[in-house]
Amino acid sequence: MIYLIMGVSGSGKTTLGELLASRLGCRFDDADTFHSQANKDKMAKGIALTDEDRWPWLDAIHDAMQQAQAEGTTRVFACSALKKVYRDRLLSGLEGVRLLFLKGSPELLAERIGSRRGHFFDPKLLQSQLDTLEAPDHLEAQVLDVRKSPEQLVDEVLASGHGA
C-alpha cells in the first residue's frame, strides 16, 4: 500500500507521514528531499516555483512511488500536490494509492509555519500555495482536519478500513 499525504506547507504532512510510517512499520519519504537545490534556493528567497520547476520533482516522486509499488512494499510519501494535474502526474499508472488531504484554516497554517525553525520554505509563500490549491473532494482523498492531533489523524486513517 502506498500512502500519499498532501496539503499546503504547515499542514503537518511530515509529522503525519513519520507517525503513520512508524505505526505501519514502513519507510517515509518527504517530497522536500526530491527537490533540486535550485528549487530549494528559489523557495528560500520567497520565489514561488513554476510548473516547469515542479515537473522533474513530481516525476522523481512518482518514480519512487512506482518502485515501492513494484516491490510490493508499504510506503508513506508526503507531497504538497496542490493541483489536480500534479496529483494526476504523481498517480499516473499507479493503482490503490491512498490519498490523504490535510485541510486547515489559513490562520492555523500561518501560525504553524511561523513557529518552524530551519525550514527552507519562506512563510510569505503560504498565500501562493493556498491560491494554487485545488482541494480534492472526499471521493478523491480522505480529508483530514489538521486541528486534530497527529495521533488522532493516524487513528482515523487506519480505522477507515483501507489500512495496509
Side-chain angles (χ1 to χ4, degrees):
M1 171 71 68
I2 305 296
Y3 294 84
L4 177 59
I5 302 168
M6 63 154 297
V8 299
S9 188
S11 62
K13 296 181 297 294
T14 300
T15 301
L16 182 65
E18 289 173 343
L19 185 58
L20 179 60
S22 174
R23 293 268 299 269
L24 292 169
C26 70
R27 179 174 163 177
F28 168 68
D29 283 293
D30 193 302
D32 288 348
T33 64
F34 294 89
H35 270 300
S36 67
Q37 189 59 49
N39 282 2
K40 289 179 182 179
D41 291 346
K42 262 182 121 169
M43 289 184 284
K45 294 175 185 169
I47 302 168
L49 298 181
T50 66
D51 284 350
E52 291 307 310
D53 295 324
R54 287 186 184 94
W55 298 137
W57 170 65
L58 293 168
D59 290 343
I61 298 164
H62 172 268
D63 292 348
M65 292 170 64
Q66 193 170 42
Q67 179 182 354
Q69 193 167 67
E71 293 169 353
T73 59
T74 297
R75 200 147 145 200
V76 178
F77 291 84
C79 176
S80 54
L82 299 176
K83 291 183 181 180
K84 181 161 181 14
V85 68
Y86 302 162
R87 295 188 295 274
D88 290 346
R89 192 163 183 141
L90 285 166
L91 302 175
S92 177
L94 300 174
E95 294 184 19
V97 175
R98 290 271 319 270
L99 185 61
L100 309 172
F101 172 45
L102 292 171
K103 184 177 182 179
S105 72
E107 297 79 19
L108 177 58
L109 297 168
E111 179 182 316
R112 286 180 170 191
I113 291 171
S115 67
R116 287 199 299 206
R117 297 291 172 256
H119 194 275
F120 61 83
F121 186 86
D122 186 315
K124 293 180 289 208
L125 293 176
L126 175 61
Q127 190 57 53
S128 167
Q129 284 201 343
L130 291 169
D131 292 344
T132 301
L133 177 64
E134 296 171 4
D137 63 27
H138 69 283
L139 298 175
E140 184 184 356
Q142 182 175 355
V143 180
L144 302 169
D145 184 342
V146 301
R147 291 176 297 181
K148 295 179 182 176
S149 74
E151 292 79 11
Q152 288 174 304
L153 295 176
V154 169
D155 289 344
E156 253 182 64
V157 170
L158 297 177
S160 67
H162 303 288

